[in-house]
């Protein structure tokens, strides 16, 4: 405990004070009923609707995110989460009765959901509004006080979020701190009751280490190389269109984007032609038109641009073929929507999550090859199967592991608030959205109440022959 206390003393005074204000209110806030919690969230919703244009402007200033994508991928999912919580929170909060076994005759039991306490939400830059506000909604619905840290890589959106939260919540209920990695490191020294982090595995490990030091809960939403797999029964044109949309959405900077595609060798060229047609239909028929498109993001910063460009250049140098795209502009951080063929599993583009608008296409002869490759890598955040063969779909689901899966589409599982969203293994720990989000920020507290009648005294010591016989008899009920 002394080590943890020493770590707290290293935290800047302003952050410590913000944390202590939240901790001082956590019990009062936690006792609120559904009506009071929902009132806070209704105010949040009203301000989001009022300021959606300002949000779009902030995101465009940060990395030229198109207004339509802001609406579809930032505002809409949050509004859906708010509406789902509004409809169901009262039911989620009710104590849940559980069955009483015969040996506990005279008792009644239930599970109640209590807030975890003071929680930290650390959001990434790629969907800076959605991936901060959606978990915030769940944390507030569960009755917690919350400290939020948006990403410094999207400064305009960060300022927007800070003002939005200040105008919605008292600072001793929800507070936003802005800053770089030094602020993030300082926050990990504070004894939050739950850490919620969305980002990469490297920082995710540091968050998990911090949670372990504080014996706190943790939810990690990470990433990985999410594959799209087409079997020979797939509708190639539909698959190409949906994969291209999911891949190049947000300039490829999406944790559940199809990272790469596996297609049977006999259908490779037909699929590549369909992909090329989809890219041209979405963003323009020439490289100049695609560069001028208002519907395509830029890389978030120079480091991200250089990393993805390097992966692409090294892969092409090793013999890969650019089917469409390939042009870049360092000054504007533009990387064209690019499809690359003749990619091998050991190519540079396959070394790490791409997180940019470059789509490698790999050919296979047998699905066994694909299954072996997926198993050999870290468990992906998403896996996409395109097939009209139910047996093939079931095989790929049963023989692999992933945070979530879509069949004959991509990314849409993230939109359904009835589905838990999260990773597994290398791609994350825990889940949120809807009821899963409420539970992620809640502790399930077991409560057993003893009535007037009790059988427990039959098992009290001294353990005479009668007590031993009763214990054995009770055990036999379950043999």
């Amino acid at each position: 405990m002394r080590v943890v206390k020493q770590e707290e003393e290293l935290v800047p005074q302003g952050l410590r004070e913000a944390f202590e204000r939240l901790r001082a209110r956590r019990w009062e806030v936690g006792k609120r009923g559904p009506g009071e919690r929902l009132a806070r969230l209704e105010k949040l919703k009203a301000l989001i609707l009022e300021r959606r244009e300002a949000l779009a402007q902030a995101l465009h200033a940060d990395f030229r995110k198109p207004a339509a994508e802001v609406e579809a991928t930032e505002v809409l999912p949050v509004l859906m989460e708010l509406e789902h919580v509004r409809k169901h929170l009262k039911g989620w909060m009710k104590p849940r009765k559980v069955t009483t076994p015969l040996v506990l005759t005279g008792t009644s039991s239930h599970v109640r959901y209590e807030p975890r306490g003071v929680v930290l939400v650390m959001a990434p830059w790629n969907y800076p509004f959605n991936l901060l506000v959606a978990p915030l909604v769940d944390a507030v619905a569960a009755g917690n006080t919350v400290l939020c840290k948006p990403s410094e890589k999207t400064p305009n959106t960060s300022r927007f979020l800070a003002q939005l939260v200040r105008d919605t919540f008292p600072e001793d209920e929800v507070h936003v701190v802005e800053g770089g990695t030094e602020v993030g490191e300082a926050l990990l020294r504070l004894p939050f009751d739950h850490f919620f982090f969305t980002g990469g595995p490297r920082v995710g490990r540091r968050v998990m280490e911090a949670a372990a030091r504080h014996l706190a809960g943790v939810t990690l939403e990470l990433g990985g190389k999410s594959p799209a797999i087409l079997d020979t029964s797939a509708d190639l044109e539909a698959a190409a269109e949906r994969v291209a949309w999911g891949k190049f959405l947000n300039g490829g900077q999406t944790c559940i984007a199809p990272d790469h595609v596996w297609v049977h060798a006999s259908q490779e060229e037909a699929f590549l032609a369909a992909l090329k047609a989809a890219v041209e239909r979405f963003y323009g028929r020439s490289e100049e038109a695609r560069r001028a498109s208002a519907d395509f993001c830029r890389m978030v910063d120079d480091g991200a641009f250089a990393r993805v460009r390097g992966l692409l250049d090294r892969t092409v140098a090793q013999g890969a073929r650019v089917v469409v795209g390939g042009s870049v502009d360092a000054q504007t951080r533009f990387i064209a929507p690019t499809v690359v063929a003749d990619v091998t599993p050991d190519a540079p583009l396959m070394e790490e999550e791409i997180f940019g608008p470059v789509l490698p296409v790999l050919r296979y002869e047998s699905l066994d090859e694909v299954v072996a490759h997926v198993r050999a890598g870290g468990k992906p955040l998403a896996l996409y199967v395109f097939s009209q063969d139910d047996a093939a779909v079931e095989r790929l689901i049963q023989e692999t592991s992933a945070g979530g899966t879509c069949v004959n589409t991509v990314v849409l599982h993230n939109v359904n608030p009835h589905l838990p969203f999260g990773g597994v293994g290398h791609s994350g720990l825990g889940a949120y959205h809807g009821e899963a989000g409420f539970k992620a920020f809640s502790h399930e507290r077991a409560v057993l109440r003893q009535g007037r009648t009790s059988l427990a005294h039959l098992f009290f010591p001294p353990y005479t022959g009668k007590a031993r016989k009763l214990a054995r008899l009770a055990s036999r009920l379950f043999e």
Side-chain angles (χ1 to χ4, degrees):
M1 289 297 293
R2 179 58 189 160
V3 172
V4 173
K5 198 67 179 175
Q6 288 174 339
E7 283 202 341
E8 289 182 50
E9 292 166 358
L10 296 174
V11 177
Q13 183 178 353
L15 293 182
R16 288 205 312 271
E17 289 175 351
F19 174 82
E20 290 301 336
R21 285 194 295 269
L22 294 168
R23 184 152 65 175
R25 287 293 308 283
R26 58 94 76 198
W27 293 106
E28 181 183 347
V29 170
K31 290 191 292 185
R32 287 177 176 160
E36 290 179 278
R37 297 181 189 184
L38 289 173
R40 294 291 195 273
L41 295 178
E42 282 297 317
K43 184 176 182 181
L44 175 63
K45 178 181 178 180
L47 288 178
I48 291 170
L49 295 176
E50 180 183 301
R51 300 178 186 182
R52 68 203 316 169
E53 296 303 324
L55 172 62
Q57 291 168 13
L59 281 158
H60 189 271
D62 281 331
F63 58 114
R64 282 189 57 174
K65 183 157 185 169
E69 286 191 8
V70 173
E71 199 66 32
T73 67
E74 303 276 5
V75 177
L76 175 61
V78 169
L79 294 180
M80 291 178 68
E81 189 74 8
L82 282 162
E83 179 63 13
H84 192 71
V85 168
R86 185 190 68 79
K87 287 182 176 179
H88 299 285
L89 180 60
K90 186 175 181 181
W92 295 341
M93 288 179 64
K94 286 181 179 178
R96 175 169 54 87
K97 291 182 179 180
V98 298
T99 302
T100 299
L102 183 62
V103 294
L104 295 179
T105 296
T107 70
S108 61
S109 300
H110 69 270
V111 176
R112 65 174 62 194
Y113 295 92
E114 62 184 29
R116 290 189 178 273
V118 188
V119 304
L120 174 65
V121 174
M122 300 179 75
W125 54 264
N126 59 326
Y127 292 89
F129 178 79
N130 179 359
L131 296 182
L132 186 141
V133 179
L136 171 61
V137 168
D138 294 342
V140 170
N144 300 279
T145 56
V146 190
L147 195 150
C148 302
K149 184 196 175 299
S151 172
E152 71 281 5
K153 290 190 176 186
T154 47
N156 296 285
T157 310
S158 179
R159 286 192 293 272
F160 174 91
L161 286 163
Q163 190 63 53
L164 178 72
V165 167
R166 280 195 297 270
D167 293 345
T168 304
F169 302 96
E171 67 173 5
D172 55 1
E173 293 183 18
V174 180
H175 185 72
V176 170
V177 294
E178 298 181 82
T181 55
E182 73 286 350
V183 173
E185 290 291 338
L187 290 172
L188 296 183
R189 297 189 179 103
L190 290 168
F192 289 94
D193 298 294
H194 191 80
F195 293 79
F196 186 103
F197 171 77
T198 304
R202 181 182 61 82
V203 179
R205 290 187 182 93
R206 295 185 65 82
V207 174
M208 196 165 186
E209 289 168 1
R213 287 196 303 273
H214 300 297
L215 296 179
V218 61
T219 303
L220 301 177
E221 299 299 332
L222 306 177
K225 293 185 72 64
S226 299
I229 305 167
L230 283 64
D231 81 349
T232 53
S233 71
D235 181 329
L236 295 184
E237 289 192 5
E241 186 173 62
R242 293 164 193 174
V243 167
W245 169 69
K247 177 63 178 183
F248 301 122
L249 182 74
N250 210 46
Q253 299 163 117
T254 302
C255 57
I256 52 173
D259 180 87
H260 54 283
V261 184
W262 290 91
V263 61
H264 192 270
S266 65
Q267 297 177 319
E268 180 184 21
E269 291 305 320
F271 179 65
L272 290 171
L275 272 176
K276 184 174 185 291
V279 170
E280 291 176 348
R281 189 161 61 253
F282 291 165
Y283 304 111
R285 295 190 62 82
S286 67
E287 286 292 280
E288 292 75 18
R290 292 189 279 273
R291 190 188 302 260
S293 173
D295 299 325
F296 189 69
C297 279
R298 298 301 184 259
M299 301 301 293
V300 72
D301 60 20
D302 292 340
F305 171 86
R307 186 186 64 82
V308 176
R309 180 184 185 178
L311 292 173
L312 174 60
D313 289 347
R314 287 166 51 212
T315 300
V316 172
Q318 290 184 12
R321 166 170 52 107
V322 174
V323 175
V324 64
S327 66
V328 300
D329 178 21
Q331 187 174 357
T332 60
R333 304 193 304 272
F334 171 79
I335 298 178
T338 300
V339 175
V340 185
D342 301 330
V343 177
T344 58
D346 59 352
L349 278 169
M350 296 300 293
E351 292 174 355
E352 60 186 87
E353 184 179 7
I354 297 168
F355 224 69
V358 180
L359 179 65
V361 177
L362 297 89
R363 71 177 72 92
Y364 71 88
E365 295 289 346
S366 167
L367 278 177
D368 294 341
E369 302 169 46
V370 182
V371 170
H373 186 274
V374 174
R375 288 179 178 177
K379 296 175 182 177
L381 186 55
L383 185 143
Y384 303 118
V385 180
F386 287 85
S387 173
Q388 303 303 317
D389 182 344
D390 290 343
V393 171
E394 190 62 25
R395 178 197 172 187
L396 287 168
I397 291 175
Q398 286 193 4
E399 296 186 9
T400 63
S401 179
T405 290
C406 289
V407 179
N408 293 322
T409 192
V410 298
V411 310
L412 295 183
H413 64 299
N414 182 43
V415 182
N416 186 348
H418 296 274
L419 285 174
F421 177 76
V424 57
H426 191 76
S427 59
L429 175 68
Y432 73 119
H433 287 184
E435 187 173 13
F438 173 80
K439 289 183 176 180
F441 289 104
S442 300
H443 167 60
E444 293 183 88
R445 186 171 183 170
V447 179
L448 183 144
R449 184 184 296 273
Q450 180 69 61
R452 291 183 178 275
T453 302
S454 173
L455 300 180
H457 69 281
L458 299 175
F459 300 92
F460 292 170
Y463 299 120
T464 61
K466 182 179 180 182
R468 289 197 299 272
K469 288 179 180 178
L470 283 170
R472 177 62 62 85
L473 179 61
S475 296
R476 284 178 176 170
L477 292 174
F478 304 96
E479 290 178 1

